[in-house]
PDB file of all heavy atoms in Angstrom:
ATOM      1  N   PRO A1046    -113.496 165.960 -16.128  1.00  0.00           N
ATOM      2  CA  PRO A1046    -112.736 164.741 -16.434  1.00  0.00           C
ATOM      3  C   PRO A1046    -111.231 165.031 -16.410  1.00  0.00           C
ATOM      4  O   PRO A1046    -110.756 165.961 -17.054  1.00  0.00           O
ATOM      5  CB  PRO A1046    -113.210 164.357 -17.842  1.00  0.00           C
ATOM      6  CG  PRO A1046    -114.488 165.096 -18.039  1.00  0.00           C
ATOM      7  CD  PRO A1046    -114.380 166.351 -17.249  1.00  0.00           C
ATOM      8  N   VAL A1047    -110.508 164.228 -15.660  1.00  0.00           N
ATOM      9  CA  VAL A1047    -109.065 164.427 -15.524  1.00  0.00           C
ATOM     10  C   VAL A1047    -108.359 163.079 -15.607  1.00  0.00           C
ATOM     11  O   VAL A1047    -108.961 162.025 -15.385  1.00  0.00           O
ATOM     12  CB  VAL A1047    -108.702 165.108 -14.188  1.00  0.00           C
ATOM     13  CG1 VAL A1047    -109.281 166.505 -14.090  1.00  0.00           C
ATOM     14  CG2 VAL A1047    -109.132 164.250 -13.009  1.00  0.00           C
ATOM     15  N   LEU A1048    -107.076 163.156 -15.939  1.00  0.00           N
ATOM     16  CA  LEU A1048    -106.179 162.016 -15.789  1.00  0.00           C
ATOM     17  C   LEU A1048    -105.320 162.254 -14.551  1.00  0.00           C
ATOM     18  O   LEU A1048    -104.832 163.363 -14.342  1.00  0.00           O
ATOM     19  CB  LEU A1048    -105.275 161.864 -17.017  1.00  0.00           C
ATOM     20  CG  LEU A1048    -105.913 161.331 -18.300  1.00  0.00           C
ATOM     21  CD1 LEU A1048    -104.875 161.302 -19.414  1.00  0.00           C
ATOM     22  CD2 LEU A1048    -106.503 159.953 -18.092  1.00  0.00           C
ATOM     23  N   ILE A1049    -105.146 161.223 -13.752  1.00  0.00           N
ATOM     24  CA  ILE A1049    -104.307 161.330 -12.565  1.00  0.00           C
ATOM     25  C   ILE A1049    -103.131 160.384 -12.745  1.00  0.00           C
ATOM     26  O   ILE A1049    -103.311 159.166 -12.878  1.00  0.00           O
ATOM     27  CB  ILE A1049    -105.080 160.980 -11.286  1.00  0.00           C
ATOM     28  CG1 ILE A1049    -106.318 161.868 -11.139  1.00  0.00           C
ATOM     29  CG2 ILE A1049    -104.186 161.140 -10.064  1.00  0.00           C
ATOM     30  CD1 ILE A1049    -107.121 161.593  -9.888  1.00  0.00           C
ATOM     31  N   LEU A1067     -96.918 162.382 -19.598  1.00  0.00           N
ATOM     32  CA  LEU A1067     -98.326 162.650 -19.306  1.00  0.00           C
ATOM     33  C   LEU A1067     -98.982 163.426 -20.442  1.00  0.00           C
ATOM     34  O   LEU A1067    -100.145 163.160 -20.798  1.00  0.00           O
ATOM     35  CB  LEU A1067     -98.443 163.424 -17.989  1.00  0.00           C
ATOM     36  CG  LEU A1067     -99.864 163.793 -17.544  1.00  0.00           C
ATOM     37  CD1 LEU A1067    -100.723 162.550 -17.352  1.00  0.00           C
ATOM     38  CD2 LEU A1067     -99.815 164.610 -16.258  1.00  0.00           C
ATOM     39  N   MET A1071    -102.354 162.496 -22.543  1.00  0.00           N
ATOM     40  CA  MET A1071    -103.480 163.430 -22.610  1.00  0.00           C
ATOM     41  C   MET A1071    -103.886 163.706 -24.053  1.00  0.00           C
ATOM     42  O   MET A1071    -105.080 163.792 -24.383  1.00  0.00           O
ATOM     43  CB  MET A1071    -103.111 164.750 -21.901  1.00  0.00           C
ATOM     44  CG  MET A1071    -102.941 164.613 -20.395  1.00  0.00           C
ATOM     45  SD  MET A1071    -102.320 166.120 -19.599  1.00  0.00           S
ATOM     46  CE  MET A1071    -103.736 167.214 -19.842  1.00  0.00           C
ATOM     47  N   ARG A1077    -107.763 167.531 -21.338  1.00  0.00           N
ATOM     48  CA  ARG A1077    -107.118 168.838 -21.202  1.00  0.00           C
ATOM     49  C   ARG A1077    -106.678 169.097 -19.760  1.00  0.00           C
ATOM     50  O   ARG A1077    -105.867 169.969 -19.512  1.00  0.00           O
ATOM     51  CB  ARG A1077    -108.079 169.941 -21.652  1.00  0.00           C
ATOM     52  CG  ARG A1077    -107.449 171.320 -21.698  1.00  0.00           C
ATOM     53  CD  ARG A1077    -108.313 172.330 -22.404  1.00  0.00           C
ATOM     54  NE  ARG A1077    -107.709 173.653 -22.365  1.00  0.00           N
ATOM     55  CZ  ARG A1077    -108.039 174.610 -21.507  1.00  0.00           C
ATOM     56  NH1 ARG A1077    -108.999 174.392 -20.630  1.00  0.00           N
ATOM     57  NH2 ARG A1077    -107.446 175.785 -21.528  1.00  0.00           N
ATOM     58  N   TYR A1078    -107.214 168.326 -18.833  1.00  0.00           N
ATOM     59  CA  TYR A1078    -106.905 168.523 -17.420  1.00  0.00           C
ATOM     60  C   TYR A1078    -106.274 167.244 -16.853  1.00  0.00           C
ATOM     61  O   TYR A1078    -106.663 166.129 -17.227  1.00  0.00           O
ATOM     62  CB  TYR A1078    -108.164 168.861 -16.620  1.00  0.00           C
ATOM     63  CG  TYR A1078    -108.836 170.135 -17.058  1.00  0.00           C
ATOM     64  CD1 TYR A1078    -109.808 170.117 -18.055  1.00  0.00           C
ATOM     65  CD2 TYR A1078    -108.497 171.360 -16.489  1.00  0.00           C
ATOM     66  CE1 TYR A1078    -110.428 171.281 -18.470  1.00  0.00           C
ATOM     67  CE2 TYR A1078    -109.107 172.539 -16.891  1.00  0.00           C
ATOM     68  CZ  TYR A1078    -110.078 172.485 -17.885  1.00  0.00           C
ATOM     69  OH  TYR A1078    -110.686 173.646 -18.300  1.00  0.00           O
ATOM     70  N   ALA A1079    -105.324 167.429 -15.940  1.00  0.00           N
ATOM     71  CA  ALA A1079    -104.653 166.279 -15.337  1.00  0.00           C
ATOM     72  C   ALA A1079    -104.061 166.678 -13.991  1.00  0.00           C
ATOM     73  O   ALA A1079    -103.850 167.862 -13.703  1.00  0.00           O
ATOM     74  CB  ALA A1079    -103.557 165.743 -16.257  1.00  0.00           C
ATOM     75  N   LEU A1080    -103.798 165.658 -13.171  1.00  0.00           N
ATOM     76  CA  LEU A1080    -103.130 165.835 -11.889  1.00  0.00           C
ATOM     77  C   LEU A1080    -101.902 164.936 -11.878  1.00  0.00           C
ATOM     78  O   LEU A1080    -101.982 163.753 -12.227  1.00  0.00           O
ATOM     79  CB  LEU A1080    -104.035 165.456 -10.715  1.00  0.00           C
ATOM     80  CG  LEU A1080    -105.087 166.468 -10.251  1.00  0.00           C
ATOM     81  CD1 LEU A1080    -106.259 166.501 -11.218  1.00  0.00           C
ATOM     82  CD2 LEU A1080    -105.580 166.132  -8.848  1.00  0.00           C
ATOM     83  N   LEU A1081    -100.786 165.513 -11.492  1.00  0.00           N
ATOM     84  CA  LEU A1081     -99.538 164.763 -11.386  1.00  0.00           C
ATOM     85  C   LEU A1081     -99.209 164.645  -9.898  1.00  0.00           C
ATOM     86  O   LEU A1081     -98.883 165.644  -9.247  1.00  0.00           O
ATOM     87  CB  LEU A1081     -98.430 165.475 -12.146  1.00  0.00           C
ATOM     88  CG  LEU A1081     -97.136 164.687 -12.395  1.00  0.00           C
ATOM     89  CD1 LEU A1081     -97.426 163.400 -13.156  1.00  0.00           C
ATOM     90  CD2 LEU A1081     -96.145 165.534 -13.188  1.00  0.00           C
ATOM     91  N   ARG A1103    -104.081 172.084 -18.559  1.00  0.00           N
ATOM     92  CA  ARG A1103    -104.057 172.410 -17.134  1.00  0.00           C
ATOM     93  C   ARG A1103    -103.603 171.174 -16.355  1.00  0.00           C
ATOM     94  O   ARG A1103    -104.345 170.203 -16.244  1.00  0.00           O
ATOM     95  CB  ARG A1103    -105.441 172.854 -16.663  1.00  0.00           C
ATOM     96  CG  ARG A1103    -105.928 174.170 -17.267  1.00  0.00           C
ATOM     97  CD  ARG A1103    -105.097 175.334 -16.757  1.00  0.00           C
ATOM     98  NE  ARG A1103    -105.587 176.593 -17.274  1.00  0.00           N
ATOM     99  CZ  ARG A1103    -106.461 177.372 -16.643  1.00  0.00           C
ATOM    100  NH1 ARG A1103    -106.951 176.992 -15.479  1.00  0.00           N
ATOM    101  NH2 ARG A1103    -106.856 178.513 -17.180  1.00  0.00           N
ATOM    102  N   ILE A1104    -102.392 171.232 -15.852  1.00  0.00           N
ATOM    103  CA  ILE A1104    -101.844 170.124 -15.071  1.00  0.00           C
ATOM    104  C   ILE A1104    -101.574 170.634 -13.659  1.00  0.00           C
ATOM    105  O   ILE A1104    -100.778 171.561 -13.474  1.00  0.00           O
ATOM    106  CB  ILE A1104    -100.547 169.574 -15.697  1.00  0.00           C
ATOM    107  CG1 ILE A1104    -100.803 169.100 -17.131  1.00  0.00           C
ATOM    108  CG2 ILE A1104     -99.989 168.436 -14.860  1.00  0.00           C
ATOM    109  CD1 ILE A1104     -99.561 168.640 -17.851  1.00  0.00           C
ATOM    110  N   ALA A1105    -102.253 170.047 -12.695  1.00  0.00           N
ATOM    111  CA  ALA A1105    -102.056 170.423 -11.303  1.00  0.00           C
ATOM    112  C   ALA A1105    -100.998 169.516 -10.679  1.00  0.00           C
ATOM    113  O   ALA A1105    -101.095 168.290 -10.770  1.00  0.00           O
ATOM    114  CB  ALA A1105    -103.363 170.307 -10.525  1.00  0.00           C
TER     115      ALA A1105
END
Side-chain angles (χ1 to χ4, degrees):
V1047 296
L1048 287 178
I1049 303 181
L1067 180 60
M1071 292 173 68
R1077 187 168 177 261
Y1078 299 89
L1080 280 76
L1081 193 58
R1103 294 292 183 93
I1104 302 176

